[in-house]
C-alpha cells in the first residue's frame, strides 16, 4: 500500500514539475510574442482611435465597410473606463489558468484538427485577422482555417456572396462545433482576450464598434464566448448584439461569467445558432417567408409560444408548413 502511495506521489511530482516547466516556457514565449500580436512592431497598423469614444457617421462618399454600410467612425471623447478588482486580477488569473489548461489538455484535438485541414486544402493551418480588442486596440486573432485559400480576407462571412462555396468540408464541421475558435486559447493566454467577453469584431466593422460603444462593450477584453453568443450568435442584428454585449459589461462579475460559461458548453455539440451567411440571416429568412405569405390568396395567423432561449427553427418550420 505504501509502495503504491510512493508511486502515485512520484508520478504527481513529475507531472507537477513538467507542468510548471511548460507553464514557464509558454509564459516566456507569450511575453516575447505579445508586442507583435498588438502591432507594436507595425505602428502603421495600429488603431488611430485607440482609447477614444466613437460614433458612426454615415457618408455615401465612403467605402462600404465590413458591416455593409457606407460611413466612418469619429472620435467624440476619451475612454474613462477603470477595470475593477475582479476584472483586473481575478478574471485575468482565471484566464491564465484556464487557457494554460486548455492548451495542454486539448493539444491532441489541436493536432488532429490541424492534420485534417492540411489534408483537405493544403496551405496554412492557422490564419490571423486584425480584430478589435480592449479599448479599441487592434490585435491579431488566431483561428483554425475553415475556408479555402481563395477566400477574400477581412470580409465577414455574412458579406460573402454564397459563403458555402468557400467553406471546406472540415471547415464546416469545425465551425458548427466551434473548433475553429480553439487557437484563441493562445490569444487568451497572451492577454489579448478573455475566456468570457464580447466576441471581437473585425477592425473594419465600424457600425458594430459604434453600437458597442453606446453600451461600453469595447471597454473590456473580447472573449472566446459571450452573452450575445449564447443568446443568438450569428442570427442577431448588430444593434441587438451590441445591446447584449453591453448587458454583459453592466453585470460583469463572477456570477455573470459563470452563467455565460455554463451556457456556452453546448457549442461543442452541434451549434444551430451558427448561420452561414452571418449576422441577421435568420431575420432575412423570416422576411422571405413573410413575402411569400403576402402573395397567397388565403391569409392565416399562427399563434405559438416561443421563449427567449428556444430554437427559432421551430418557428421557421411552422411557417414552412403554412406555405405548403
Amino acid at each position: 500500500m505504501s509502495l503504491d502511495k510512493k508511486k502515485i506521489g512520484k508520478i504527481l511530482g513529475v507531472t507537477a514539475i513538467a507542468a510548471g516547466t511548460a507553464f514557464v516556457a509558454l509564459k516566456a514565449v507569450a511575453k516575447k510574442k505579445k508586442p507583435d500580436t498588438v502591432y507594436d512592431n507595425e505602428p502603421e497598423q495600429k488603431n488611430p482611435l485607440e482609447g477614444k469614444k466613437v460614433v458612426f457617421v454615415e457618408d455615401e462618399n465612403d467605402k462600404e465597410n465590413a458591416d455593409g454600410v457606407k460611413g466612418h467612425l469619429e472620435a467624440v471623447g476619451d475612454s474613462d473606463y477603470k477595470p475593477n478588482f475582479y476584472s483586473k486580477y481575478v478574471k485575468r488569473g482565471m484566464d491564465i489558468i484556464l487557457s494554460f489548461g486548455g492548451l495542454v489538455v486539448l493539444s491532441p484535438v489541436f493536432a488532429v484538427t490541424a492534420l485534417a485541414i492540411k489534408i483537405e486544402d493544403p496551405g496554412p493551418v492557422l490564419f490571423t485577422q486584425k480584430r478589435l480588442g480592449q479599448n479599441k486596440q487592434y490585435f491579431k486573432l488566431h483561428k483554425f482555417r475553415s475556408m479555402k485559400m481563395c477566400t477574400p480576407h477581412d470580409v465577414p462571412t455574412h458579406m460573402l456572396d454564397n459563403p458555402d462555396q468557400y467553406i471546406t468540408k472540415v471547415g464546416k464541421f469545425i465551425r458548427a462545433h466551434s473548433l475553429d475558435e480553439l487557437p484563441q486559447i493562445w490569444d487568451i493566454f497572451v492577454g489579448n482576450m478573455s475566456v468570457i467577453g464580447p466576441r471581437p469584431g473585425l477592425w473594419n466593422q465600424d457600425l458594430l464598434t459604434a453600437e458597442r460603444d453606446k453600451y461600453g462593450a469595447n471597454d473590456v477584453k473580447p472573449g472566446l464566448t459571450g452573452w450575445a453568443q449564447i443568446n443568438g450568435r450569428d442570427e442577431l442584428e448588430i444593434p441587438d448584439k451590441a445591446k447584449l454585449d453591453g448587458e454583459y459589461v453592466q453585470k460583469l462579475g463572477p456570477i455573470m461569467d459563470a452563467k455565460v460559461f455554463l451556457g456556452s458548453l453546448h457549442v461543442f455539440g452541434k451549434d444551430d445558432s451558427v448561420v452561414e451567411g452571418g449576422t441577421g440571416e435568420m431575420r432575412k429568412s423570416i422576411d422571405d417567408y413573410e413575402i411569400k405569405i403576402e402573395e397567397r390568396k388565403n391569409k392565416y395567423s399562427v399563434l405559438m409560444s416561443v421563449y427567449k432561449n428556444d430554437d427559432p427553427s421551430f418557428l421557421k418550420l411552422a411557417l414552412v408548413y403554412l406555405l405548403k
Side-chain angles (χ1 to χ4, degrees):
M1 186 73 174
S2 59
L3 185 61
D4 289 339
K5 285 184 178 180
K6 284 183 179 180
K7 284 184 177 180
I8 292 172
K10 189 174 181 179
I11 292 171
L12 290 176
V14 171
T15 302
I17 292 171
T21 303
F23 179 80
V24 171
L26 278 176
K27 283 298 288 182
V29 173
K31 186 176 181 180
K32 185 177 181 180
K33 294 287 186 182
K34 173 75 172 181
D36 180 60
T37 65
V38 292
Y39 299 97
D40 281 353
N41 302 323
E42 303 172 79
E44 72 280 0
Q45 295 290 337
K46 296 180 78 70
N47 188 4
L49 294 174
E50 184 177 329
K52 303 291 184 181
K53 287 291 184 183
V54 299
V55 293
F56 182 74
V57 179
E58 291 192 45
D59 190 336
E60 286 299 317
N61 296 318
D62 288 336
K63 184 180 178 182
E64 189 176 276
N65 60 37
D67 289 319
V69 185
K70 292 184 177 180
H72 59 274
L73 294 173
E74 289 187 3
V76 293
D78 296 324
S79 174
D80 57 358
Y81 176 75
K82 297 289 189 296
N84 57 24
F85 181 84
Y86 172 77
S87 298
K88 194 171 183 179
Y89 299 106
V90 179
K91 188 174 172 69
R92 178 56 189 156
M94 291 171 62
D95 284 340
I96 292 172
I97 294 170
L98 290 173
S99 59
F100 174 69
L103 289 170
V104 174
V105 174
L106 296 174
S107 55
V109 179
F110 276 77
V112 171
T113 304
L115 182 62
I117 292 169
K118 198 79 172 176
I119 291 173
E120 181 178 1
D121 189 48
V125 170
L126 299 175
F127 83 101
T128 62
Q129 277 186 325
K130 185 192 289 186
R131 295 286 183 123
L132 202 72
Q134 185 176 24
N135 219 15
K136 301 183 188 68
Q137 180 186 53
Y138 290 156
F139 75 98
K140 295 178 182 178
L141 175 138
H142 297 83
K143 279 190 174 188
F144 276 127
R145 182 169 59 87
S146 60
M147 292 189 163
K148 299 173 183 176
M149 291 297 295
C150 60
T151 308
H153 202 62
D154 282 337
V155 179
T157 305
H158 67 275
M159 291 193 68
L160 291 171
D161 183 20
N162 185 19
D164 280 332
Q165 67 178 313
Y166 296 108
I167 302 173
T168 62
K169 292 177 181 178
V170 171
K172 196 170 186 65
F173 176 84
I174 65 175
R175 284 164 69 95
H177 297 268
S178 294
L179 297 177
D180 60 321
E181 313 284 2
L182 288 182
Q184 290 161 52
I185 295 175
W186 172 252
D187 297 326
I188 295 169
F189 190 75
V190 170
N192 294 328
M193 290 179 61
S194 178
V195 174
I196 311 295
R199 285 296 296 155
L202 287 168
W203 67 276
N204 52 353
Q205 286 188 275
D206 294 341
L207 185 59
L208 177 62
T209 299
E211 285 293 318
R212 281 177 166 172
D213 244 22
K214 293 178 182 178
Y215 307 102
N218 294 314
D219 294 333
V220 300
K221 285 184 181 180
L224 183 65
T225 185
W227 188 235
Q229 286 289 99
I230 67 172
N231 284 282
R233 195 167 178 169
D234 285 342
E235 67 264 27
L236 289 173
E237 299 285 356
I238 285 175
D240 299 325
K241 185 182 294 185
K243 192 172 182 179
L244 284 167
D245 288 332
E247 185 180 338
Y248 166 77
V249 175
Q250 188 178 26
K251 298 178 180 178
L252 180 58
I255 295 176
M256 187 60 165
D257 277 349
K259 188 183 294 187
V260 175
F261 183 81
L262 293 174
S264 301
L265 295 180
H266 76 283
V267 302
F268 293 103
K270 181 67 170 65
D271 189 358
D272 294 324
S273 64
V274 180
V275 181
E276 301 303 351
T279 306
E281 192 64 23
M282 189 68 75
R283 176 67 255 172
K284 293 175 189 175
S285 298
I286 292 175
D287 286 343
D288 288 342
Y289 289 130
E290 288 174 349
I291 290 170
K292 290 178 183 177
I293 289 172
E294 287 299 319
E295 293 173 351
R296 291 175 60 92
K297 283 184 178 181
N298 299 317
K299 307 292 177 67
Y300 303 91
S301 296
V302 176
L303 181 63
M304 60 186 294
S305 59
V306 179
Y307 296 93
K308 182 178 180 182
N309 292 321
D310 276 352
D311 186 345
S313 62
F314 288 119
L315 179 57
K316 285 184 66 177
L317 286 172
L319 289 171
V320 170
Y321 180 80
L322 174 64
L323 294 172
K324 287 183 178 179

